[in-house]
Amino acid sequence: MPFYNRERYIKEMKAVLSGEPNFVYFVYGPINSGKTALLIKVFEELPENYRVFYINFRWRYVADINNLLQVLFDIRRGEYQEDIREIITEFFKESARAVKRFKGIPIPERIFDVIFGEKKVENIFKYLEGIFEGIRECGDVPVFVLDEMQSIKEVINTVGKPVIHELFNFLVGMTKETHLCHCLCATSDCLFIEDVYSNARLEGRAKYILVDDLGKEEAFRVYEEFGFGNKELVWDYIGGKIGDMVSLFEEKKRSYKEEEALKRMLKNERARLEWIKLKKLKKREDGKEIWSLLLNFKEHWETTKNQFEEHFDKLLFWIEENVLFYNPMEGTVRPQSRLLWRAIKEVV
Ligand SMILES: Nc1ncnc2c1ncn2[C@@H]1O[C@H](COP(=O)(O)OP(=O)(O)OP(=O)(O)O)[C@@H](O)[C@H]1O
Ligand SMILES: [Mg+2]
């Protein structure tokens, strides 16, 4: 599928990656806004000497440190040197850029066995640092990318502490302190962002890039590419959510008429809300109040978080259910999509 209309973001990301690594970058935004696709697009367009390690934690379930090690590393079996330079050369020999393969960090089986045996998180970081240094020595630029990183928030180390805090300290070390490696973290879980921001002491050490849904003008241009007919109607249903545009495109391929397809999509969102009401809210004492909190969004697309100070726990319910999108940097709350907004207006 072709890639549409993200020039501004692509430029911004490339600018970030062209300089010296100074900050950990968080790429965040509502669900299905195109964060992952954008990252991959940028990596594909980077100069040949960029060595991108892209780890997507959604692709495999990470319950504990053992899974984490398996996901992070690409274990190289057989006769490999222990010299990091040779590991890197071997790894990059087959393809110019690691990003095409999404395989994790190369590690000889023997070294992996040691790290795995001891399960010490610091060993992982020591090895990673060696790899990044090795890449720098070759005159190349390492880029370390963790996508869907909220998936590992529950993972603990051998002394029962969350690995994620150690991980962030490591990333700060790689950027602000040694300027060795570009570090990007992508997530649509903004409560998680707020949590790590306050707990891992990231103030002044991290920056945030919001990859949002498209505005109307940009969206109309993409509608054109997708061959949508009644643009105003499409906007009224799905707005600038690229993921929903892909869905509509697919529905139309299955020979649904545009309006019919939009109605089907809306019906699914309504059903999702009804399901939450029935399955999760009915048994809660404060279920009715949580449900009626959505009334605030009937008229307004976006409100500030402060408006909910007294009912923050109720607001939290909808954020955790991915019905509302919370932007921690701006302190605003809104439905995750225009389609959901429409469903809220009809159902609540
Ligand atoms: N610029 C684009 N042009 C065409 N298709 C796109 C573009 N950006 C994203 N898509 C498509 O839209 C869908 C959602 O994109 P993507 O998975 O990148 O979103 P995301 O923000 O990472 O979602 P999540 O919140 O689930 O992580 C995918 O099918 C993707 O291929
Ligand atoms: Mg994604």
Side-chain angles (χ1 to χ4, degrees):
M1 179 175 282
F3 189 84
Y4 304 120
N5 196 279
R6 286 275 146 150
E7 285 76 17
R8 180 166 60 86
Y9 289 114
I10 293 175
K11 226 172 127 185
E12 187 181 349
M13 301 278 297
K14 282 184 178 167
V16 165
L17 295 174
S18 70
E20 182 180 61
N22 281 318
F23 296 98
V24 178
Y25 274 86
F26 282 90
V27 177
Y28 77 104
I31 282 173
N32 260 327
S33 68
K35 299 174 287 297
T36 298
L38 172 76
L39 286 171
I40 291 173
K41 174 76 176 165
V42 169
F43 302 149
E44 281 169 357
E45 291 185 3
L46 286 174
E48 288 290 310
N49 67 330
Y50 276 72
R51 304 303 192 184
V52 182
F53 298 99
Y54 174 84
I55 318 278
N56 190 322
F57 291 116
R58 183 181 277 168
W59 295 350
R60 274 162 77 190
Y61 179 59
V62 184
D64 56 25
I65 188 116
N66 295 346
N67 303 140
L68 181 67
L69 288 167
Q70 301 280 357
V71 173
L72 271 182
F73 293 112
D74 171 26
I75 305 159
R76 311 248 121 187
R77 294 176 212 284
E79 279 309 300
Y80 281 95
Q81 300 295 325
E82 285 197 16
D83 177 33
I84 275 184
R85 255 170 183 278
E86 283 180 46
I87 297 167
I88 296 166
T89 319
E90 192 65 36
F91 183 67
F92 288 111
K93 212 164 61 185
E94 298 153 51
S95 69
R97 274 173 284 168
V99 64
K100 295 227 170 78
R101 302 152 19 103
F102 301 132
K103 267 195 155 176
I105 319 264
I107 189 167
E109 199 170 15
R110 250 177 314 155
I111 304 180
F112 182 79
D113 286 345
V114 172
I115 294 183
F116 197 83
E118 296 180 4
K119 293 197 176 60
K120 281 200 188 134
V121 179
E122 68 215 52
N123 289 347
I124 306 177
F125 297 146
K126 234 182 257 166
Y127 181 76
L128 285 179
E129 190 177 343
I131 287 281
F132 299 151
E133 271 169 359
I135 291 173
R136 282 285 178 192
E137 278 167 25
C138 301
D140 293 343
V141 185
V143 183
F144 188 40
V145 190
L146 303 169
D147 201 347
E148 294 300 332
M149 92 171 299
Q150 75 281 357
S151 316
I152 61 165
K153 65 183 168 191
E154 310 283 334
V155 178
I156 50 169
N157 63 16
T158 43
V159 293
K161 293 252 164 66
V163 165
I164 202 111
H165 293 170
E166 279 173 275
L167 178 61
F168 280 122
N169 282 331
F170 171 71
L171 299 182
V172 170
M174 290 300 97
T175 51
K176 190 182 94 98
E177 286 164 5
T178 60
H179 314 285
L180 203 56
C181 177
H182 290 284
C183 298
L184 303 173
C185 307
T187 181
S188 58
D189 182 344
C190 292
L191 294 171
F192 165 76
I193 287 200
E194 187 158 86
D195 191 49
V196 290
Y197 185 79
S198 43
N199 286 326
R201 285 186 253 117
L202 284 173
E203 301 94 339
R205 296 160 184 161
K207 293 222 179 274
Y208 299 82
I209 299 177
L210 170 66
V211 174
D212 211 344
D213 298 326
L214 301 175
K216 194 168 179 179
E217 213 175 287
E218 288 172 303
F220 273 36
R221 261 182 272 143
V222 181
Y223 291 175
E224 194 82 37
E225 305 276 354
F226 276 112
F228 299 155
N230 189 344
K231 297 200 189 69
E232 284 295 342
L233 183 80
V234 174
W235 174 262
D236 273 345
Y237 275 82
I238 63 171
K241 172 85 66 200
I242 193 94
D244 286 345
M245 294 180 211
V246 175
S247 292
L248 177 60
F249 181 72
E250 291 294 319
E251 293 281 302
K252 282 184 74 177
K253 263 201 324 213
R254 291 170 56 200
S255 80
Y256 286 104
K257 294 213 171 63
E258 201 162 274
E259 187 162 3
E260 195 188 337
L262 288 166
K263 283 187 176 148
R264 278 168 60 88
M265 288 168 69
L266 178 64
K267 205 168 136 199
N268 287 342
E269 291 298 60
R270 288 181 48 152
R272 182 155 87 88
L273 288 175
E274 301 278 16
W275 175 257
I276 293 174
K277 187 180 185 186
L278 201 69
K279 276 287 162 193
K280 303 202 169 161
L281 290 179
K282 225 173 171 185
K283 55 183 173 213
R284 281 181 66 141
E285 236 174 64
D286 54 356
K288 277 205 175 98
E289 292 145 54
I290 293 180
W291 182 252
S292 57
L293 181 137
L294 287 180
L295 283 171
N296 288 285
F297 295 88
K298 282 191 96 155
E299 304 274 319
H300 309 283
W301 162 245
E302 191 170 79
T303 55
T304 63
K305 175 187 106 178
N306 297 345
Q307 262 176 275
F308 299 95
E309 227 155 300
E310 279 165 52
H311 316 281
F312 199 69
D313 53 327
K314 297 180 185 73
L315 185 71
L316 218 55
F317 175 87
W318 290 114
I319 299 172
E320 280 166 356
E321 284 296 324
N322 279 328
V323 169
L324 297 179
F325 167 62
Y326 167 50
N327 182 337
M329 295 302 124
E330 319 234 317
T332 52
V333 189
R334 67 175 207 226
Q336 279 281 359
S337 70
R338 214 175 149 89
L339 198 60
L340 251 173
W341 191 32
R342 203 171 165 129
I344 289 170
K345 286 195 227 179
E346 288 185 11
V347 171
V348 181

